[in-house]
Amino acid sequence: MDMDVNMLFLTLLMCYNPYVFGLFEDINIEEDLSPDFDLDISPRRVPRQVKSMLTKETKPHIQELSVKTTIISRYAFTAVSCTMLNRHSAAAEGVFQFLIPKNAYVSNFTMIIGGRVYPSEVRPKEKKVKEGKGDEAKPKNKEKGEQSSEPEVEVFRMGASIPGRNRAMFMLTYEELLQRRLGRYEHVTSLRPLQLVSRLSVDVTIVDHSTITHLEVLPLRIGKSNTAVASGASAAKTPAKPALPVSTVIKQNKTFCRITFSPNIVQQAKITTSGMLGEFVVHYDVERELGIGDIQVLNGHFVHYFAPKDLPVVPKNVVFVIDTSASMLGTKIRQTKDALFTILRDLRPGDRFNFVSFSNRIKVWQPNRLVPVTPLNVRDAKKFIYMLQPTGGTDINGGIQTGSSLLSGYLNADPDANHHSVSLIIFLTDGRPTVGELQSPSILSNARTAVKEQFCVFTIGMGNDVDYRLLERMALENCGMMRRIHEDSDASTMLKGFYDEIGTPLLSDIRVNYTEDSVQYVTQHLFTNYFNGSEIVIAGKLTNQSADSLHVQVTASNSDKSIVLETDVALRQREVETERHVKEAAAGVGSGDTGAGTTGSVADDFVERVWGFLSVKEGLRSRLKSQTSRERDGYTQQATDLSLTYHFLTPLTSLVVEKPQVLADGTMAEDTPTPTPVTTETNKKAASANELSDETEGEEDTAQSLHLKKDQPGGQSSRITKTTADGDPHFVVEFPLSKLTVCFNINGEPGHILRMVSDHKHSGVTVNGKLIGAPAPAGSHKQQRTYFSTITIVVNRPKRSYIEVTPKKVILDGQDRLVLSCDTTVSVESGGLVVTIVGKSTVTVTIGGTIRFVILVHQYKNPAPYQRNHLGFYISNSKGLSHDCHGLLGQFLYEEVGLAELSGNATATGDHSTSLRSPILKVKGRSVPVVQKTRRIYSGRQSVDCWFARNNAAKLIDGQYEDYVVSHLFDTGDWPHGSNGA
């Protein structure tokens, strides 16, 4: 990869927020209350109720929950930020919990507590030895409460002690390739903070190469029935356009849209006071290219989206195998019958079908044949379904064997007649095998033997007592897929929805080929079927990035003939087009708010990350289907290596993170993180390729696991230093080796540009700051005040880059020129340089992973005459700067200083004489008189005791103040003088 993914996301999340460093301050609830809410009860009463609920909270209060997603060509990047406040003087446990889609991979998690950053690391998961049988070796993977009924999510959970009267920030990122179903993509953001949130926001940005043809934001999905309806029902059947969730705003143009949802605390309370808001759901679709589809090329990788339309439907031969054991009694069998009645109405005249029911006994509706779709046959089939009565045990092996025999016999009777048709079994059960063959390996082996690769098996599990591993393997080994229907869900609608996905085949035996020797590591490119409303996605690496074209050929069969589609793709042209819409995503073009998109660094490599995501999924599926331990080990190693490369938390990896130690008095211990075992929890689905493992190895069923770091070298938390230039401007320099902090002022002139850090010859880094003037406040001894209005950073390695920061925007001019707003949260990577913005708070610049500068953004809503929007400059990590580094701050990074006392003249007071002694600082052999002062940094949220050097830091700094004034913002000239003598 061109970039270190771990460093990228670590930098995205390690940027701090002033809240983290602050002491306790009361929440101003009134600021969160909108005066124009529409309620059926007295508006004054609602804020009082809300305020009462907040004051009664004993656990840390969530001040801010921000969820920002950018979807670039169906690939979604999501960053979650949660800030909690512990109002009490004693330490309290803060629990961050967030539901992520089951098909997504967590790519990083970071905590900032007490001003210290606790990053995470992805490592290979250690194998565990199974102790005994049954559930003893399995983790608890079912959440309490309503969350346990969600079929499509996993719970990411992490708890940590928050010091008294302090804040903690939890940050999580995850990635997901959206799947097209029923002619649309669905993006879901789960909002279940379990309490009212002072500032809640969801931001979804969609940027696509193709025109966005359909966009819909659904009402919040709350509870089980809504989830089921939205999962299964077609958007076309919605009787009326639903109302948008309150506070939702949509901005859209041809290929770009931005959706924001930010209910204030009263609007949240109107929905629910429990904090269980539900799911914020966005549906959309894009225009389809005719022919071979849409191919995008970027940085030596390609992704191919193929979703043909306007094709005749291929006839299908389908056998429904239905569980009628005693556990299906009641709601399950009723909902199953309702779905089958509806499916019967949707069968097409060219289809053939049959039904098998299984319990202790196997019943076949029409023995030894499949029948055509006629009114008489449909009527008789409804009678058979109506008469189904649940009883007895569950003979899964007998059911699948009987269904396979029926379908295989029909296909073998007249192979030519069925050449242009699609054959499949739809198998439904709510339990585990209790009758007949009970061993899963034998059932799977028997199924493979019976199917003989002649047709596909699609499996459906209902409820919580299903062997989902068995159903998943049965489907994967026989070119199908598995779907889970949770207990108490609307099974009828979900069954019908699943059938709608696979009930309209358009192509079969699809093969996608590319120019031989031009591509490598191509993901799955052979597909048994293509169903209407879905999409085939293939990704790979280009072996020759300088090649002009790539020949693409798609062969397939449809209802009456074979199809061949082929063309030469102009790679250079496609790469230019892909780069253009990636820039739109990075800059938020079309939103009216630059920087509203995703991290430019991730966007720059989104095609490669699609390839990595698909390759991991494919490796896990192949691992599941493997028949020998050697084969399995190979797929395991392949998927593990890819997971580590792309920093994905998968079934084969663990997320390792430190936790701080909080003392009994509510304060934090110094750099003594305490490891405590923590795991993420899933909603007892054990069903997707995202979590499958071999029971014989004793691996956990959870898709992802989170552990805490133990005895890791260099594993101490990152901490922002006190080496700063902020305010008027006040400079603070920390000398860690001497355990002293020194401060000084620079009384510069407006318009002067000061050299802060100068290391151009060695690390290639230079930092300059431009001063702006303002009147001094009344009663001040100064005639004017000066602040930093602009800070520039010039980076010369590995590539020349320029960064210009103002209180309103950040301009990054490197490989590309990007303009980012300081009001949004965004991260951009360019040539080993990462710029991360926390909206209206900080700009963090990380260079090569060893140099990090943090710039505080000071903005005033109603500034006084002596106030100006300005910047503060903080050095967070200076390891990459050389010992020859210079500048107003840079010259002190590797120095040691000493403190001594200088005797003065004797003075007489009455009968006593006193010898005046003033402290002096020894710096590079120079003696600098100092006095003790206290400085406030981090927007006044932290106090620093320091030794203050007067007179523009005379003798403290090398040379004079004027030596640090440079000609222009991007001046990289070297320090012209030697040290100033004592």
Side-chain angles (χ1 to χ4, degrees):
M1 289 175 52
D2 296 333
M3 55 173 256
D4 184 343
V5 176
N6 184 31
M7 189 62 222
L8 160 66
F9 280 102
L10 186 58
T11 305
L12 166 64
L13 297 177
M14 281 180 64
C15 55
Y16 68 90
N17 187 304
Y19 290 139
V20 177
F21 299 97
L23 298 175
F24 170 83
E25 66 177 0
D26 290 330
I27 297 174
N28 187 355
I29 297 175
E30 303 299 336
E31 292 181 356
D32 294 311
L33 302 181
S34 173
D36 56 352
F37 46 76
D38 177 22
L39 298 171
D40 296 331
I41 56 179
S42 169
R44 293 187 178 181
R45 180 62 179 163
V46 175
R48 196 175 302 121
Q49 291 174 331
V50 172
K51 195 180 301 185
S52 175
M53 283 185 288
L54 293 177
T55 55
K56 289 179 181 178
E57 286 180 349
T58 57
K59 59 186 178 181
H61 173 68
I62 299 178
Q63 285 191 295
E64 184 168 11
L65 177 61
S66 168
V67 186
K68 296 195 175 184
T69 298
T70 298
I71 305 170
I72 310 179
S73 292
R74 297 76 140 175
Y75 195 66
F77 303 91
T78 300
V80 183
S81 174
C82 178
T83 302
M84 293 185 187
L85 169 67
N86 177 12
R87 312 161 188 259
H88 308 288
S89 57
E93 182 80 358
V95 178
F96 170 72
Q97 179 172 294
F98 198 82
L99 277 65
I100 64 172
K102 71 171 185 180
N103 288 319
Y105 287 144
V106 169
S107 49
N108 214 319
F109 175 71
T110 295
M111 301 184 298
I112 304 178
I113 302 176
R116 301 176 198 170
V117 181
Y118 298 88
S120 65
E121 178 185 353
V122 172
R123 292 181 178 179
K125 182 181 287 186
E126 297 179 2
K127 293 182 180 180
K128 296 184 178 181
V129 180
K130 203 165 187 178
E131 302 173 355
K133 299 180 181 180
D135 292 332
E136 287 184 55
K138 294 184 179 181
K140 295 180 180 179
N141 54 3
K142 184 174 180 178
E143 274 288 308
K144 294 181 180 180
E146 183 180 347
Q147 296 157 7
S148 65
S149 66
E150 297 296 335
E152 301 294 325
V153 295
E154 293 172 346
V155 181
F156 186 98
R157 182 183 174 95
M158 177 66 179
S161 291
I162 303 176
R165 305 172 75 84
N166 216 318
R167 292 178 173 86
M169 181 181 287
F170 301 90
M171 291 167 285
L172 173 74
T173 62
Y174 60 86
E175 303 175 25
E176 175 189 17
L177 179 63
L178 301 183
Q179 298 178 352
R180 188 168 184 255
R181 294 177 178 172
L182 300 172
R184 70 192 179 201
Y185 304 97
E186 178 178 270
H187 180 266
V188 178
T189 303
S190 183
L191 297 173
R192 291 171 169 81
L194 304 179
Q195 60 175 268
L196 297 176
V197 179
S198 296
R199 293 177 294 277
L200 172 66
S201 64
V202 176
D203 189 321
V204 180
T205 299
I206 302 172
V207 181
D208 209 286
H209 177 256
S210 304
T211 301
I212 299 173
T213 58
H214 169 75
L215 178 67
E216 181 183 17
V217 180
L218 302 186
L220 289 176
R221 291 204 306 215
I222 304 171
K224 305 163 188 175
S225 59
N226 282 359
T227 300
V229 169
S231 299
S234 172
K237 295 184 179 180
T238 303
K241 187 174 181 180
L244 294 175
V246 62
S247 80
T248 300
V249 177
I250 300 175
K251 297 180 181 180
Q252 181 181 7
N253 62 25
K254 187 176 180 181
T255 60
F256 176 99
C257 76
R258 184 182 180 194
I259 304 149
T260 57
F261 172 63
S262 51
N264 61 41
I265 204 163
V266 175
Q267 292 167 331
Q268 296 172 47
K270 186 177 179 182
I271 299 170
T272 175
T273 57
S274 69
M276 302 288 284
L277 294 173
E279 295 177 333
F280 186 78
V281 183
V282 177
H283 287 166
Y284 78 98
D285 198 21
V286 298
E287 190 173 306
R288 304 285 139 197
E289 291 191 15
L290 299 177
I292 57 101
D294 177 21
I295 292 183
Q296 299 187 37
V297 179
L298 193 64
N299 296 338
H301 292 77
F302 74 91
V303 59
H304 183 184
Y305 302 98
F306 181 60
K309 59 180 181 178
D310 302 328
L311 295 174
V313 177
V314 177
K316 61 181 175 292
N317 311 306
V318 56
V319 175
F320 299 90
V321 182
I322 308 299
D323 185 347
T324 56
S325 61
S327 58
M328 289 286 290
L329 190 64
T331 302
K332 290 180 183 177
I333 194 65
R334 177 180 56 78
Q335 292 184 334
T336 300
K337 289 181 179 181
D338 289 344
L340 293 176
F341 290 148
T342 305
I343 290 170
L344 278 172
R345 291 198 301 267
D346 291 346
L347 290 173
R348 296 180 174 84
D351 296 341
R352 289 181 172 268
F353 70 106
N354 204 339
F355 286 92
V356 174
S357 69
F358 68 93
S359 57
N360 284 19
R361 299 172 52 196
I362 309 295
K363 296 181 180 179
V364 180
W365 170 51
Q366 297 285 345
N368 304 318
R369 62 179 183 147
L370 269 65
V371 300
V373 177
T374 64
L376 181 60
N377 286 337
V378 169
R379 186 190 66 187
D380 289 346
K382 286 183 177 179
K383 291 180 181 178
F384 175 79
I385 295 169
Y386 182 78
M387 296 302 294
L388 293 177
Q389 296 296 325
T391 183
T394 308
D395 187 358
I396 288 179
N397 185 69
I400 195 67
Q401 291 295 306
T402 302
S404 299
S405 177
L406 270 175
L407 192 49
S408 180
Y410 171 75
L411 295 176
N412 293 332
D414 191 355
D416 294 333
N418 297 297
H419 181 65
H420 292 291
S421 64
V422 168
S423 301
L424 49 96
I425 285 179
I426 298 178
F427 180 91
L428 181 146
T429 183
D430 77 329
R432 302 170 181 268
T434 61
V435 176
E437 180 59 63
L438 304 181
Q439 299 301 315
S440 294
S442 298
I443 295 174
L444 292 170
S445 176
N446 294 341
R448 288 194 302 270
T449 302
V451 172
K452 299 177 182 176
E453 298 184 352
Q454 293 178 292
F455 45 86
C456 299
V457 178
F458 295 84
T459 59
I460 304 169
M462 296 179 67
N464 295 328
D465 192 35
V466 180
D467 187 345
Y468 283 102
R469 189 187 311 280
L470 172 62
L471 296 189
E472 178 79 2
R473 293 195 65 164
M474 185 183 296
L476 288 178
E477 291 178 1
N478 297 286
C479 70
M481 57 184 176
M482 190 275 296
R483 186 62 49 82
R484 175 178 184 156
I485 300 174
H486 242 281
E487 200 79 48
D488 299 330
S489 294
D490 187 347
S492 178
T493 305
M494 295 190 73
L495 277 170
K496 180 58 171 60
F498 184 55
Y499 175 79
D500 287 343
E501 290 183 40
I502 62 177
T504 309
L506 300 182
L507 295 173
S508 61
D509 301 322
I510 305 103
R511 176 185 294 268
V512 184
N513 293 318
Y514 305 94
T515 308
E516 192 173 356
D517 299 329
S518 293
V519 297
Q520 60 181 349
Y521 305 119
V522 177
T523 58
Q524 179 184 352
H525 59 101
L526 303 176
F527 301 88
T528 306
N529 301 302
Y530 167 73
F531 299 103
N532 187 41
S534 64
E535 182 174 56
I536 289 173
V537 184
I538 306 166
K541 291 187 176 184
L542 298 170
T543 56
N544 182 7
Q545 296 190 39
S546 62
D548 293 327
S549 65
L550 177 69
H551 186 75
V552 183
Q553 182 188 68
V554 181
T555 61
S557 298
N558 73 349
S559 59
D560 57 358
K561 60 185 177 182
S562 296
I563 295 177
V564 179
L565 304 171
E566 54 187 325
T567 190
D568 289 318
V569 176
L571 293 177
R572 301 281 179 85
Q573 177 185 346
R574 293 298 175 105
E575 183 151 24
V576 169
E577 293 173 353
T578 305
E579 287 175 346
R580 184 174 66 249
H581 91 267
V582 164
K583 289 178 183 178
E584 292 177 358
V589 171
S591 70
D593 186 5
T594 58
T598 186
T599 62
S601 49
V602 178
D604 287 343
D605 290 298
F606 96 90
V607 175
E608 180 180 351
R609 296 189 74 80
V610 172
W611 173 80
F613 184 92
L614 288 174
S615 297
V616 170
K617 293 284 186 185
E618 189 172 302
L620 292 172
R621 286 195 298 268
S622 299
R623 173 176 175 267
L624 179 68
K625 295 189 294 183
S626 58
Q627 303 300 315
T628 66
S629 59
R630 182 177 180 180
E631 185 181 21
R632 174 185 169 83
D633 289 345
Y635 287 125
T636 298
Q637 189 62 51
Q638 172 192 343
T640 301
D641 290 345
L642 285 168
S643 300
L644 297 175
T645 298
Y646 293 98
H647 209 257
F648 287 153
L649 181 56
T650 70
L652 305 177
T653 55
S654 297
L655 198 65
V656 183
V657 66
E658 290 177 348
K659 289 179 72 175
Q661 181 181 357
V662 179
L663 303 177
D665 61 0
T667 62
M668 291 184 61
E670 286 292 327
D671 294 324
T672 53
T674 303
T676 307
V678 179
T679 59
T680 58
E681 302 175 14
T682 62
N683 287 324
K684 199 177 180 182
K685 56 186 183 56
S688 69
N690 197 29
E691 61 167 19
L692 295 167
S693 59
D694 190 339
E695 291 177 327
T696 60
E697 289 190 356
E699 294 180 354
E700 296 181 354
D701 289 337
T702 52
Q704 304 165 338
S705 63
L706 176 67
H707 299 290
L708 297 180
K709 202 173 290 186
K710 296 183 179 180
D711 303 326
Q712 180 180 342
Q716 292 195 354
S717 57
S718 302
R719 187 174 184 177
I720 306 299
T721 69
K722 301 186 185 75
T723 301
T724 70
D726 205 345
D728 188 13
H730 303 311
F731 288 73
V732 178
V733 179
E734 188 176 33
F735 294 88
L737 296 178
S738 306
K739 296 184 179 179
L740 287 176
T741 302
V742 178
C743 49
F744 58 93
N745 293 346
I746 292 294
N747 298 317
E749 295 295 326
H752 278 184
I753 300 170
L754 305 184
R755 174 68 43 77
M756 316 280 282
V757 177
S758 178
D759 199 30
H760 184 71
K761 275 189 175 181
H762 303 281
S763 66
V765 175
T766 303
V767 182
N768 299 323
K770 183 177 181 179
L771 296 177
I772 187 175
S780 173
H781 65 280
K782 294 185 178 182
Q783 293 183 349
Q784 67 174 358
R785 307 181 83 178
T786 52
Y787 305 93
F788 284 117
S789 64
T790 306
I791 292 175
T792 58
I793 302 172
V794 182
V795 182
N796 204 38
R797 298 186 185 89
K799 297 180 181 179
R800 186 83 166 182
S801 299
Y802 303 88
I803 304 167
E804 181 177 347
V805 183
T806 72
K808 293 295 184 183
K809 63 184 178 181
V810 178
I811 301 174
L812 171 59
D813 201 345
Q815 294 174 321
D816 304 300
R817 181 179 173 84
L818 298 175
V819 180
L820 310 171
S821 170
C822 287
D823 293 339
T824 60
T825 298
V826 62
S827 186
V828 176
E829 193 275 342
S830 179
L833 170 66
V834 181
V835 178
T836 302
I837 301 173
V838 173
K840 299 181 180 180
S841 176
T842 60
V843 178
T844 303
V845 178
T846 304
I847 304 163
T850 58
I851 301 172
R852 185 179 305 111
F853 304 128
V854 178
I855 299 169
L856 260 61
V857 178
H858 302 281
Q859 296 181 1
Y860 298 95
K861 290 183 179 179
N862 300 299
Y866 55 86
Q867 292 177 324
R868 296 287 185 271
N869 290 344
H870 64 281
L871 303 171
F873 177 73
Y874 293 69
I875 298 178
S876 172
N877 185 352
S878 60
K879 290 181 181 178
L881 295 171
S882 75
H883 285 256
D884 293 324
C885 182
H886 211 272
L888 283 169
L889 288 176
Q891 63 186 293
F892 301 113
L893 293 176
Y894 296 98
E895 290 295 330
E896 292 190 51
V897 297
L899 194 64
E901 289 185 338
L902 181 65
S903 298
N905 295 326
T907 60
T909 305
D911 296 331
H912 302 281
S913 65
T914 304
S915 177
L916 297 179
R917 294 179 178 271
S918 60
I920 63 167
L921 200 69
K922 291 289 187 179
V923 183
K924 300 181 181 179
R926 303 188 294 264
S927 297
V928 185
V930 292
V931 295
Q932 196 159 18
K933 279 198 173 186
T934 298
R935 279 278 163 85
R936 299 189 71 83
I937 59 176
Y938 306 130
S939 301
R941 297 175 183 275
Q942 185 170 332
S943 297
V944 176
D945 293 328
C946 60
W947 294 99
F948 178 72
R950 298 187 179 93
N951 302 324
N952 262 10
K955 292 193 176 183
L956 175 67
I957 59 174
D958 293 338
Q960 306 299 323
Y961 158 78
E962 291 77 14
D963 296 328
Y964 297 87
V965 178
V966 297
S967 60
H968 58 85
L969 279 168
F970 298 101
D971 188 322
T972 58
D974 296 324
W975 169 248
H977 307 293
S979 298
N980 185 29

